[in-house]
Amino acid sequence: MTLPSTEPLAPADTNTATSVALTQKRAHTNGPMTRGKENDENRLRAIESKSKSSGSSQSASAEETIDIESVDGPGQSDTEYTEDGRPIRKRKATIPFDEDTDMDTDELLEKEVKTKKKPLPKPKAVKPAKVVKDEGASIKAPKKTSKKPTRSAFSDDEDVPASPAESILSKLRRAPKSKAHYVRAENPNDFDPTEVYRLARQYPDTYWRYHAENKSGMISKISEDHPLQLVDCNIHDQAAITGMSLSPDGSMLATFCNLGSVRIWSLDDYSLVKTLRDAKEEHIDEFYVGTFAPDQTLIIVGGKRKDRNNWSEADDDNNILPCPLKLFDVITGEVIVTLEGHTEELLCVKRVQFKGENYFLSGSQDGYLNKWKMGSDWRSLESMAQMVDGVTCMAFTVSFVPNTGNKYFLAAADENLRLYDFEKETLLQTFDNMYSSYCDCGKFITAVDFPLPPPIPEEAPAAEDGAEEIKESIIRKGKMKATEPAPTPGPKPQQFAYFISRGVELLDSEERMIAKDYNSCTLHKLVYPDTKGGKWYLTEVKRFQDEEYFSNAWLIKIASNGRYIMAPTCTGEVFIFNLKTGQVTGILKDHDDVEVRDIIFHPTRPLLFTSADDGIVKVYTYKNPEDRERALKESRETEKAAAEAAALVSVATDLSAVSVQDDGEETE
């Protein structure tokens, strides 16, 4: 048997020959003896003294002697060596040997030393039984019997009783306690399907009515068979046109210019109707975004406000001042309300109605989303609330989630998409890392070539109070038979909506080229929770890229009619991606080599608008007379139906304005 050279062997026998052999072996070693060797020598002396005291009993016991040749000097010819040239030490040991064991000599020796050094625990004294005295008789209390210590399941020694701690642990392992059922605390911000869909039925959406398949008159097909052409018009301004907005009835187009002007154009003859400026502003205005009020007599705009008298060397521009939203009267051209609350430039503003009340929602480069509650006529501010989430640096665009009664919206913020509760001004979820630098535009759409979302679930009919509970109780008691089993309700269809986004990628620091990937647009699918307190999920359906599509500048918006994504670039072009195939259907190349900032499909006319930093708005329509005539016919039918619906709403409003007093007199 080969032994390690660094660990001296400690024999457990009292033979003199073995001790001498060990002494001779140590005489050939060089250097001082290690502490481990001293411990082994002390252990040897202790074993020898114990063996002398019990010599007579050992000779009488049944033993089997293992004869091992004594170790000769290193120069003897019969010395055995290991493979690496070290001599093998041999000894003669006399130990009790068990034929049934598989242990070798070394293991038996170690066990002998180990068992002899462990003393048995002292028995505990048993206390005398207590005597319990009662009024009538004297009764002895039962004796307390001490339980026999249980051997630990992890102990190698069969004769050593387990400690109390080990016994307790063994019991816990054998009979684990049952865990209490976890009950999730209800969060007031949790999604409640019953409440949300009730709200959606009461306040239906108006944003998603028009798309490429509902024959509203909008441009529905763009291809070689259905090409587009420019409309001969002159919609322009003296500087970059960063944004545009259509009036609610689609008859006017507003353009927002970096020189602080808003121009309103008639879409019947493309003539200029009105130019709006804040004549009382002492500093420099730049307008980027805006939207009309429902009655079209008001328009709210925002952008950047700069100090006329102070210059910033860091920005190479005038110092920025707090940037308000300004509400213009379209007829008089005056600013009637100024909404103060943002410290940096405005990047988006949305008009919205929630539970019958009027709001504006704005996003800014200061990282805040502000909710402005307006009066019933949209001309006065009632209150303002900020959605402070503590993480957003730039809020670019917002889009309200369909079929939720405008309770939730998705914001393109930083490089992420963030879901908010509009009612409670709360951030609910963040969908991270849509793009490597910024995600600056996102919109909900109706993807006509993909499976459409299910309709809003109908409200379950209310049963009579206690009727079902009484019936079930009678059946359980056996007084009534359930003749027909109740139908098992099938799984409810999962609600979802399609969403498009675009973004900006990081640039290489040396070559100033896109480091991560080509620019891209993405079609997402937002899946709603199907249970109370459930989570929202955003999945990627398709990504749209082309090696010539370069759009790595922020404040560029995309648009869709449900069949195509219109994606502007930094080089004056607009790429047209087919949503279903992902291929490039066409490219519009009519602007100068500058950023194309905004693009809009007209919802009820065959018109497409693009604006750019060259200060020009390009207007497109169908080139083929057949396509144009078909679209115009659909447009006239749609506008006629909209006018009839508006007349009915006006009549209903007039009737609701009449109230009956307690004395029976009608007042208006």
Side-chain angles (χ1 to χ4, degrees), residues 410-427:
L410 206 57
D414 303 333
E415 71 275 16
N416 313 309
L417 292 172
R418 292 197 168 102
L419 181 70
Y420 291 85
D421 187 322
F422 178 77
E423 182 180 16
K424 299 180 179 178
E425 303 105 26
T426 304
L427 172 63

Side-chain angles (χ1 to χ4, degrees), residues 265-437:
W265 306 81
S266 170
L267 295 183
D268 294 330
D269 56 1
Y270 305 105
S271 61
L272 180 61
V273 176
K274 193 80 173 180
T275 299
L276 304 176
R277 287 181 180 273
D278 186 2
K280 298 179 180 180
E281 179 58 61
E282 299 178 354
H283 296 282
I284 302 172
D285 267 338
E286 293 183 5
F287 293 145
Y288 299 158
V289 294
T291 186
F292 282 91
D295 63 359
Q296 304 183 160
T297 62
L298 302 173
I299 186 170
I300 188 168
V301 298
K304 184 186 292 187
R305 183 167 173 258
K306 299 186 294 187
D307 193 335
R308 188 179 296 275
N309 304 316
N310 290 297
W311 184 263
S312 172
E313 295 291 343
D315 297 334
D316 195 23
D317 198 355
N318 295 78
N319 280 327
I320 189 170
L321 297 173
C323 303
L325 285 163
K326 297 183 178 183
L327 186 64
F328 283 89
D329 188 310
V330 174
I331 299 175
T332 64
E334 296 180 354
V335 176
I336 59 174
V337 174
T338 300
L339 306 182
E340 302 277 354
H342 287 291
T343 58
E344 297 187 45
E345 53 260 49
L346 274 298
L347 304 179
C348 69
V349 60
K350 175 80 74 174
R351 179 190 74 248
V352 62
Q353 288 184 313
F354 179 70
K355 292 186 176 181
E357 296 180 328
N358 303 329
Y359 295 90
F360 288 119
L361 178 62
S362 60
S364 169
Q365 193 171 343
D366 60 12
Y368 295 113
L369 291 160
N370 289 359
K371 183 173 76 171
W372 314 86
K373 185 178 179 182
M374 308 299 293
S376 59
D377 58 355
W378 295 89
R379 291 177 173 267
S380 59
L381 176 66
E382 294 185 359
S383 63
M384 189 273 283
Q386 275 190 337
M387 302 187 187
V388 182
D389 53 39
V391 293
T392 300
C393 294
M394 301 177 71
F396 293 99
T397 62
V398 295
S399 187
F400 281 82
V401 180
N403 294 334
T404 62
N406 292 336
K407 180 174 174 59
Y408 302 102
F409 68 91
L410 206 57
D414 303 333
E415 71 275 16
N416 313 309
L417 292 172
R418 292 197 168 102
L419 181 70
Y420 291 85
D421 187 322
F422 178 77
E423 182 180 16
K424 299 180 179 178
E425 303 105 26
T426 304
L427 172 63
L428 299 180
Q429 282 183 235
T430 297
F431 305 103
D432 296 325
N433 302 324
M434 297 293 108
Y435 303 92
S436 61
S437 183

Side-chain angles (χ1 to χ4, degrees), residues 148-296:
K148 185 178 180 181
T150 307
R151 185 173 62 88
S152 172
F154 301 96
S155 175
D156 294 331
D157 304 318
E158 298 181 358
D159 298 334
V160 179
S163 62
E166 291 177 342
S167 301
I168 295 172
L169 289 175
S170 301
K171 290 181 180 180
L172 291 176
R173 291 189 189 97
R174 292 190 187 97
K177 294 182 179 179
S178 59
K179 295 182 179 180
H181 180 66
Y182 173 73
V183 179
R184 180 180 178 272
E186 186 173 346
N187 189 337
N189 298 324
D190 284 345
F191 180 88
D192 186 352
T194 303
E195 176 64 23
V196 171
Y197 296 139
R198 183 196 62 78
L199 194 64
R201 288 187 295 270
Q202 185 177 359
Y203 303 100
D205 290 327
T206 58
Y207 305 111
W208 330 110
R209 292 180 297 176
Y210 305 112
H211 51 76
E213 283 296 316
N214 65 354
K215 297 182 180 181
S216 62
M218 73 186 310
I219 294 176
S220 59
K221 293 182 179 180
I222 306 173
S223 63
E224 293 181 356
D225 298 331
H226 307 278
L228 300 180
Q229 68 175 6
L230 282 172
V231 175
D232 186 12
C233 62
N234 186 20
I235 301 178
H236 69 284
D237 211 323
Q238 298 176 352
I241 297 177
T242 309
M244 301 179 290
S245 179
L246 286 169
S247 61
D249 66 353
S251 63
M252 295 183 293
L253 176 72
T255 59
F256 311 110
C257 178
N258 288 4
L259 291 182
S261 63
V262 181
R263 291 189 174 185
I264 300 176
W265 306 81
S266 170
L267 295 183
D268 294 330
D269 56 1
Y270 305 105
S271 61
L272 180 61
V273 176
K274 193 80 173 180
T275 299
L276 304 176
R277 287 181 180 273
D278 186 2
K280 298 179 180 180
E281 179 58 61
E282 299 178 354
H283 296 282
I284 302 172
D285 267 338
E286 293 183 5
F287 293 145
Y288 299 158
V289 294
T291 186
F292 282 91
D295 63 359
Q296 304 183 160

Side-chain angles (χ1 to χ4, degrees), residues 5-6 8 26 29 32-42:
S5 60
T6 58
R26 288 176 179 164
T29 59
M33 183 182 298
T34 62
R35 184 174 298 275
K37 294 182 180 181
E38 295 175 1
N39 292 338
D40 291 337
E41 198 171 63
N42 294 334

